[in-house]
Structures are given as structure tokens and as C-alpha cells.
Amino acid sequence: MSEFSNVTVVKKANVYFGGNVSSRTVRFADGSSKTLGFMLPGEYTFNTADPELMEILDGDLDVWLPGAQHWQTVKGGESFNVPGNAQFTVKIKAPTDYICSFLK
Amino acid sequence: MSEFSNVTVVKKANVYFGGNVSSRTVRFADGSSKTLGFMLPGEYTFNTADPELMEILDGDLDVWLPGAQHWQTVKGGESFNVPGNAQFTVKIKAPTDYICSFLK
């Protein structure tokens, strides 16, 4: 599915790293939420609260996941999971469009 | 209202100017649509099809509207209209979060 239907969207963007990373929050009827985000080239470290599923719609990045021994390359159409209460770093190599799902 | 409820959101971002401008398309039950967009500093020229209402949620820019004799400064909380089948140029001075409504 290329769309999310019957959802609520917060108007204001979530803005990180001077706007190099921005996202929109989407809320679902079941109480869950996701962000649709966009990252420009650069290196960014994020802290999670809930565990997250990061689906890369388009782009090219390396991610350093918690406990990892090396960078992992992720491209459009691929995804990765991040544990809750953790930190991960991405090196964005091409503008990257993603969906972040907050898992419980 | 800080949110749009009962809407459809297209997952993939609309990407312009190498990702310095990106937006998400939101569709409403009445058939209308808007984009929620984000622009990083730079100068960008856009072509309209339908007339547009540009609401600036946050940011700082100058806009050169069709037929204008000078730049007009627009800040967060302000808005401007663009005719259909026209061209306008924005000089983004600070990361700018906006809602673009396509009017009929």
C-alpha cells in the first residue's frame, strides 16, 4: 500500500539537526503512530524511547546499530529495527525518505 | 487545529531541488488535497497548476509573486496566495515548514 488511510496527521514538522532531518507524525485509529521522515546527507545520532522499525522508502545510508561491530548499508526498499531506550547513528549518503514505526 | 483528521497520506515524499524541498501529500474526504512541506535555505522557483494557498507554519522567507515589483517577506504564522498556471520564487532564509493548499 502506497498510502495510509483514515489517519490523523500533525501539521507541524518535527525538525532535527537544523532541518537536515524532518518528519511528520501520523496517528492511527488503533493508537499507534509513525513518522514519515526525510534526511539529507550527513551523520546523525538518534535516541529511541519505544523500539522502532525504520523502513527506507528511498535513499542510501549506513547505520550503526546498538551493539553492532560495524556499519551496515541500507538502501531503498530495505528496513532495520532499533531496540527501545537505545542509540543509533546513521550516515546518510543520499537523500533518504523513510517511515519510522514506533513499536510497543 | 494542529492536526488533520480522517485523511489519507501518501507514504513517499515529493522531493525537489535535491531534497532541499520535500513534502508529503495529504488527501481529504472532499477530494481536496494539501502538501505538508519543508524547505531548507536556498532560492527555489515553483510552477503552479491550481491556485495555491501557502501557509507558513514556521520559518522566514522572501517571496516574489507573479506580477510583483519586489520581494515580500513572509514569516511563520503568515501566508500568501499564488495564482494557477503561474511561477513564483522563494528565498528561504531559515528552515521553513509550510502547508500548501491546492485551490480550485
Side-chain angles (χ1 to χ4, degrees), chain B residues 14 16-17 21 23 25 32-37 39 44-56 63-66 72 78-90 98-104:
Chain B
N14 311 304
Y16 308 97
F17 304 104
V21 177
S23 72
T25 300
S32 68
S33 68
K34 301 181 193 290
T35 55
L36 291 168
M39 298 188 278
Y44 313 110
T45 295
F46 297 95
N47 295 291
T48 64
D50 292 329
E52 298 178 2
L53 167 64
M54 285 283 290
E55 296 172 78
I56 308 304
V63 62
W64 193 290
L65 289 168
Q72 174 189 340
E78 300 178 345
S79 63
F80 59 92
N81 279 83
V82 189
N85 302 308
Q87 195 172 72
F88 69 105
T89 299
V90 291
Y98 69 89
I99 303 172
C100 178
S101 300
F102 301 100
L103 311 173
K104 297 289 175 179

Side-chain angles (χ1 to χ4, degrees), chain B residues 56-71:
Chain B
I56 308 304
L57 298 172
D58 195 26
D60 187 4
L61 62 98
D62 294 335
V63 62
W64 193 290
L65 289 168
Q69 304 300 313
H70 54 78
W71 293 97

